[in-house]
Amino acid sequence: MKVNPSFCLCPVLLCLCFLERGYEASHFTPAKVISRSHNATRNHNQTKDGETEVHHRPKRGWIWNQFFVLEEHIGPDAQYVGKLHSNSDKGDGSVRYILSGEGAGSIFIINEVTGDIHATKSLDRENKSHYVLHAQAIDRNNNKPLEPESEFIIKVQDINDNAPKFTDGPFVTSVPEMSEIGTSVFQVTATDADDPTYGNSARVVYSVLHGQPYFSVDPKTGIIRTALADMDREAREHYSVVIQAKDMAGQVGGLSGSTTVNITLTDINDNPPKFPQKNYQVFVPESAQVGKPVGKIKANDDDIGINAEIKYSILNPEGAGMFSISTDKDTREGVITLRKQLNYEKKKQYSLHIAAENTHLDPRLSYLGSFKDDATLKITVGDVDEPPVFSLDYYILEVYENAKVGSEVGAVTARDPDSKNSPVRYFIDRREDKEVYFDIESISGIIRTTQLLDREDTPWHNITVMATEEDNPSLQSHVPVTVQVLDVNDNPPKINTEDEIIICESTRAGQVIQTITAVDKDDFANGKGFSFSFPGGVPANPNFTIKDNEDNTANIIARRRRFHRLTQELYELPVVVWDDGEPVLSSTSTLTLRVCSCQRGTRLKICQGEAFLSSAGLSTGALIAILLCVLILLAIVILFITLRRSKKEPLIISEEDIRENVVTYDDEGGGEEDTEAFDIIALRNPAAAEELKFRRDVRPECIRPWSSRRPARGRVSPSSLDTDEQTDVGEFIKQRVDEADQDTSVPPYDSLQTYAYEGQGSPAGSVSSLGSAGAHSELDYNSLEDWGPKFEKIAELYGEEVETASESTEKAESEKQT
């Protein structure tokens, strides 16, 4: 009778399950089984639907508890963590368990026979919450692993060993006064280092330790709110609230921490300004200056900041017409200023109705009424002995220049404003009128001149007149007096030029040489118009004439052409100018005209010699020295260039200077002998050094029939390739490369040979000069002679070269036939 193996396997698995459950029941945590399917046999059965059903039979597996270890363990013995067990272990001690990974051997130890794991140290979950380890079972007999290495985690289980903490603090915040109950003030947050996912160790509850009944705190969120209505800042401004945070949801045995929140009530405008009293009195003398403060008044406000700002105003028109009031920002006082001069004789007392009100109102507090108060201020005017008062604030007087000494300029008047009307005496303040041009009569106040005045020297004079009472000379008043000196025509006009006038040698007859103007020191009223002419009684000038333009200018015009500097260089021309003042004045000025050879192409009349010397700023001797230096430098440069051209550099410094090939390429085109190489064969065959020491290059063994001149190494004339369209360019280049590699007698040995082919079929042909002078060239260079003398030499050179190439080709063909 045959038994199906699957029927035998089922009872074994069932027994293992019961054993596992029994093991779980003996421990506090559930067991975990990890099966390994390595080397397991698989039975594949075909189902009705054609799918393959796979059965796995585990060979071995790890069985252990889920590992947890309590933090802060204080017991005398090592803390038991868990047990490792393999189903390969028969209990005979043949299995050895090995533990590796984080903390293995130092924190965690394992019994190699039983697989029990213990923690030897007290652990702190806040420092490290879990450890990753690896376990392995080894056969003691052959030290071979019974199970593949497996990874597992030991978690550190949290206990309530950390109190809640407020990271910052104490805190400072504020809330407006008179706030409603429940107004949010501030939010505090405490942190707990314990595990928030395990138990209530990190569950924090907030409460108020100090600060009731004014404030409360939400136990969950930590938001602090007002708990009392109508808290007045003016009664109490600062509060210190202590908030406690307790874990374990506030239960007994929980840990706690606290912080302080300093709360300040901010001000709102809930207090109107008030005057301490309703009536005030101020004494002001009538001599008080306009614009100066004469008194102060103040209303009190319990608020602070902008809520305490007060605006004062005068309500009655009579008081507002004589006085003004403003607010001192620092003291919040109402400063009363005089707007008009007081006069005791006219009014002896004023009554001011003054109001004070806040500038910033809170509409939420409008129900409290008007934030305004008023008071009465009585101002008493005091009588004083005042100085004289002038009829004008300032005086402007006029007098003609050159007036006689003692001429009257004008008068000032002043009076005593007091009721006794004392006589007034006048004086001039000599601190300003130091030249003593004027004097004043002390009784009448008439001002007179003390010396002659000149408008052209000083057109305005400023003096200060003082007035005093005869009975009280100490009382003085001052008034400024300005005296304007009027003009008379006492200065003749003059020509407004002092420079020489330049005449060009190329000047034509009738050409304007210069336009002249006149100046007059007198006022424009006496010198507005000027007239110009030559002096009377003088013969007509044959060289020049003058034309009055009737716009206060005149033109000097040449009467002939071609002035010569060598014949006469300087001309003197007298000109008379008149003004139209009263009386009419005139003057004669002599103009100097210089003949020069002027520069061409410029409007400036500057002599050429003068312009050059003036622009350079150098004398004649200095210019000659500079020219000599320039000539010497040119000679040195020419000599240096001549010596450089005559010097020849040797190709090889010494015959015994043995080195790599030194090759010089002066490639000007195809066909030139442009390669000079040092033959390095002397290094390989010293015996041949004497034979080859004069050898510059190695000529090719054969001459290509398509070129009469040897091209540079590595180049091929494309004209030869064009003759045969079937030529394989690649094969041709390959042959050249093989020849260069195999030929060891031709230098240079380390040279680069380039083969370039431009292609076929181009209508323009090749632009290369290779083979351009071949025997089969069809170019006719004699046609260049028709292009002019510049191309005759080119035609001659290329014509000779073509003839030479043709002769060489014919000679080669004849030798071949022979």
Side-chain angles (χ1 to χ4, degrees):
M1 179 178 180
K2 297 182 179 179
V3 181
N4 192 344
S6 60
F7 290 103
C8 298
L9 183 61
C10 290
V12 175
L13 293 177
L14 184 61
C15 294
L16 288 176
C17 291
F18 279 105
L19 290 174
E20 180 182 356
R21 290 183 179 272
Y23 188 84
E24 290 177 1
S26 63
H27 294 78
F28 293 98
T29 54
K32 182 178 181 181
V33 178
I34 297 180
S35 298
R36 304 296 180 181
S37 59
H38 300 288
N39 301 323
T41 59
R42 297 183 179 181
N43 296 326
H44 300 270
N45 297 327
Q46 200 74 17
T47 62
K48 296 179 179 180
D49 297 334
E51 297 180 354
T52 303
E53 182 180 0
V54 181
H55 296 280
H56 298 276
R57 181 172 60 85
K59 183 177 180 181
R60 298 182 183 91
W62 283 109
I63 302 175
W64 65 76
N65 296 330
Q66 293 182 357
F67 297 142
F68 291 92
V69 59
L70 286 177
E71 65 171 336
E72 306 295 344
H73 179 70
I74 311 178
D77 300 329
Q79 185 179 3
Y80 180 74
V81 179
K83 183 181 183 65
L84 292 178
H85 182 73
S86 174
N87 55 10
S88 300
D89 191 356
K90 306 302 182 182
D92 55 358
S94 61
V95 178
R96 182 165 64 95
Y97 296 96
I98 299 175
L99 188 66
S100 62
E102 295 179 341
S106 58
I107 300 176
F108 303 102
I109 59 175
I110 187 171
N111 190 319
E112 295 183 353
V113 178
T114 63
D116 294 330
I117 301 174
H118 290 80
T120 61
K121 296 182 180 180
S122 178
L123 304 179
D124 188 359
R125 189 200 67 84
E126 286 69 37
N127 292 333
K128 190 173 181 61
S129 61
H130 66 278
Y131 295 83
V132 180
L133 294 98
H134 298 83
Q136 191 174 18
I138 298 176
D139 191 342
R140 290 181 179 273
N141 299 322
N142 53 18
N143 288 329
K144 292 183 179 180
L146 300 175
E147 296 287 345
E149 186 179 74
S150 178
E151 180 181 278
F152 64 95
I153 296 175
I154 298 179
K155 294 185 177 180
V156 182
Q157 192 170 6
D158 181 56
I159 64 172
N160 189 18
D161 59 341
N162 291 278
K165 293 182 180 180
F166 295 92
T167 55
D168 299 324
F171 302 95
V172 177
T173 186
S174 62
V175 63
E177 63 174 334
M178 310 300 289
S179 296
E180 298 179 356
I181 297 177
T183 302
S184 177
V185 180
F186 192 73
Q187 184 178 11
V188 293
T189 302
T191 59
D192 196 319
D194 292 326
D195 190 359
T197 62
Y198 180 76
N200 294 327
S201 299
R203 186 179 176 185
V204 179
V205 175
Y206 301 94
S207 61
V208 178
L209 294 182
H210 179 73
Q212 294 175 338
Y214 305 103
F215 300 94
S216 63
V217 64
D218 190 299
K220 293 182 178 180
T221 62
I223 297 177
I224 302 173
R225 302 180 186 273
T226 57
L228 189 64
D230 300 332
M231 286 190 292
D232 191 3
R233 186 200 65 84
E234 287 73 29
R236 182 178 177 182
E237 186 176 3
H238 301 287
Y239 296 85
S240 182
V241 181
V242 179
I243 304 297
Q244 182 190 61
K246 189 174 183 180
D247 59 12
M248 297 297 294
Q251 298 176 5
V252 178
L255 304 177
S256 64
S258 62
T259 186
T260 301
V261 181
N262 296 317
I263 302 175
T264 302
L265 297 182
T266 57
D267 183 63
I268 63 173
N269 191 10
D270 58 341
N271 295 282
K274 291 183 179 181
F275 287 104
Q277 59 192 53
K278 290 296 182 181
N279 296 296
Y280 297 88
Q281 289 185 354
V282 175
F283 176 83
V284 180
E286 64 173 338
S287 60
Q289 298 182 12
V290 176
K292 298 295 183 179
V294 296
K296 295 181 179 180
I297 190 172
K298 183 178 181 181
N300 298 325
D301 195 329
D302 294 334
D303 296 322
I304 59 175
I306 62 173
N307 297 320
E309 292 182 0
I310 300 174
K311 178 183 178 182
Y312 297 92
S313 60
I314 300 175
L315 301 179
N316 58 321
E318 182 185 16
M322 288 296 297
F323 302 91
S324 62
I325 189 170
S326 60
T327 303
D328 189 329
K329 294 182 178 180
D330 297 330
T331 63
R332 294 191 176 92
E333 294 178 324
V335 180
I336 301 168
T337 306
L338 185 63
R339 299 183 65 180
K340 297 181 181 179
Q341 186 66 48
L342 296 174
N343 192 337
Y344 174 80
E345 288 73 25
K346 291 184 178 181
K347 192 173 181 61
K348 297 179 178 60
Q349 192 178 44
Y350 294 89
S351 180
L352 306 181
H353 299 288
I354 300 175
E357 59 180 337
N358 289 135
T359 57
H360 297 81
L361 300 178
D362 192 342
R364 297 174 299 175
L365 304 176
S366 59
Y367 65 92
L368 297 177
S370 176
F371 284 72
K372 187 176 183 180
D373 195 16
D374 57 70
T376 301
L377 175 64
K378 291 184 178 181
I379 297 177
T380 301
V381 182
D383 185 21
V384 295
D385 192 4
E386 300 175 85
V389 178
F390 285 96
S391 59
L392 298 175
D393 294 335
Y394 60 91
Y395 293 86
I396 298 178
L397 307 178
E398 296 178 347
V399 63
Y400 280 98
E401 65 176 332
N402 301 327
K404 296 180 180 180
V405 177
S407 298
E408 181 179 344
V409 178
V412 296
T413 57
R415 65 175 182 84
D416 183 10
D418 298 325
S419 58
K420 59 183 180 179
N421 195 15
S422 298
V424 178
R425 296 293 179 261
Y426 304 95
F427 306 93
I428 293 179
D429 189 355
R430 295 302 179 184
R431 291 176 297 180
E432 295 184 6
D433 189 18
K434 298 180 181 180
E435 298 294 333
V436 192
Y437 288 104
F438 306 95
D439 198 1
I440 189 171
E441 296 180 359
S442 61
I443 299 176
S444 62
I446 297 175
I447 301 174
R448 299 181 182 275
T449 61
T450 59
Q451 56 180 308
L452 294 178
L453 303 178
D454 188 1
R455 189 201 68 86
E456 288 72 34
D457 183 20
T458 308
W460 296 86
H461 294 270
N462 297 315
I463 60 176
T464 301
V465 176
M466 298 183 300
T468 63
E469 294 182 7
E470 187 178 20
D471 298 338
N472 189 4
S474 61
L475 295 177
Q476 299 178 354
S477 58
H478 301 75
V479 67
V481 178
T482 300
V483 179
Q484 181 182 9
V485 181
L486 302 178
D487 182 57
V488 296
N489 193 21
D490 59 344
N491 291 281
K494 294 182 179 180
I495 301 297
N496 187 21
T497 180
E498 296 181 357
D499 300 331
E500 293 181 345
I501 299 175
I502 297 176
I503 309 172
C504 295
E505 291 183 340
S506 60
T507 300
R508 302 183 303 274
Q511 183 176 349
V512 176
I513 299 174
Q514 183 76 19
T515 300
I516 59 175
T517 59
V519 294
D520 196 332
K521 293 182 180 180
D522 293 324
D523 191 17
F524 69 91
N526 293 316
K528 184 176 182 180
F530 302 107
S531 303
F532 303 86
S533 68
F534 288 138
V538 178
N541 194 314
N543 300 316
F544 310 99
T545 183
I546 189 168
K547 178 184 177 183
D548 192 344
N549 297 325
E550 298 182 356
D551 59 354
N552 295 332
T553 63
N555 293 335
I556 299 176
I557 302 173
R559 299 189 64 179
R560 65 183 182 86
R561 62 188 297 272
R562 292 297 180 181
F563 292 87
H564 297 285
R565 181 166 55 88
L566 298 179
T567 303
Q568 182 175 353
E569 185 178 4
L570 297 177
Y571 292 88
E572 293 184 352
L573 185 65
V575 178
V576 182
V577 57
W578 289 273
D579 61 15
D580 58 355
E582 184 64 32
V584 177
L585 299 179
S586 64
S587 66
T588 302
S589 300
T590 302
L591 305 179
T592 302
L593 290 79
R594 178 181 295 274
V595 179
C596 290
S597 178
C598 299
Q599 293 179 341
R600 296 183 180 180
T602 178
R603 296 182 179 180
L604 298 177
K605 294 183 178 181
I606 301 176
C607 294
Q608 289 182 352
E610 295 179 357
F612 177 76
L613 293 177
S614 62
S615 62
L618 300 173
S619 62
T620 304
L623 292 175
I624 294 174
I626 292 174
L627 292 175
L628 289 176
C629 293
V630 172
L631 292 176
I632 292 173
L633 290 175
L634 289 175
I636 293 173
V637 171
I638 293 173
L639 179 61
F640 179 76
I641 294 173
T642 304
L643 293 175
R644 286 294 302 270
R645 289 182 176 179
S646 61
K647 184 178 179 181
K648 294 183 179 180
E649 296 291 339
L651 178 60
I652 301 176
I653 298 175
S654 173
E655 293 181 358
E656 298 179 359
D657 188 5
I658 306 302
R659 62 187 72 185
E660 291 292 339
N661 286 354
V662 180
V663 183
T664 301
Y665 294 96
D666 276 331
D667 191 0
E668 299 179 355
E672 286 81 10
E673 299 290 336
D674 53 6
T675 304
E676 297 178 5
F678 174 75
D679 192 0
I680 202 173
I681 195 172
L683 297 177
R684 303 181 180 180
N685 189 6
E690 289 297 327
E691 179 184 356
L692 301 175
K693 64 179 179 179
F694 296 107
R695 181 175 180 179
R696 288 289 185 180
D697 201 354
V698 178
R699 301 183 62 84
E701 298 178 358
C702 60
I703 299 177
R704 303 297 178 187
W706 37 266
S707 177
S708 62
R709 303 168 62 186
R710 184 178 63 86
R713 291 187 58 84
R715 292 191 178 143
V716 180
S717 175
S719 60
S720 64
L721 298 177
D722 292 340
T723 58
D724 188 3
E725 294 182 357
Q726 303 298 327
T727 302
D728 189 347
V729 177
E731 184 65 26
F732 176 79
I733 294 175
K734 184 177 180 182
Q735 294 177 3
R736 299 283 79 75
V737 172
D738 294 340
E739 293 175 2
D741 291 341
Q742 296 174 4
D743 191 355
T744 59
S745 62
V746 179
Y749 302 103
D750 295 332
S751 63
L752 176 65
Q753 301 186 15
T754 303
Y755 299 92
Y757 179 52
E758 298 178 358
Q760 302 177 1
S762 173
S766 175
V767 297
S768 173
S769 62
L770 299 176
S772 60
H776 301 285
S777 176
E778 298 178 358
L779 296 177
D780 185 7
Y781 294 101
N782 295 327
S783 60
L784 294 176
E785 297 178 356
D786 300 336
W787 291 7
K790 295 182 179 181
F791 295 90
E792 291 180 358
K793 186 64 177 176
I794 297 176
E796 180 180 348
L797 293 175
Y798 276 88
E800 294 177 356
E801 194 170 338
V802 169
E803 292 175 0
T804 304
S806 300
E807 293 175 358
S808 301
T809 303
E810 293 176 357
K811 183 177 180 181
E813 291 179 354
S814 60
E815 290 179 355
K816 184 178 180 181
Q817 293 176 0
T818 304

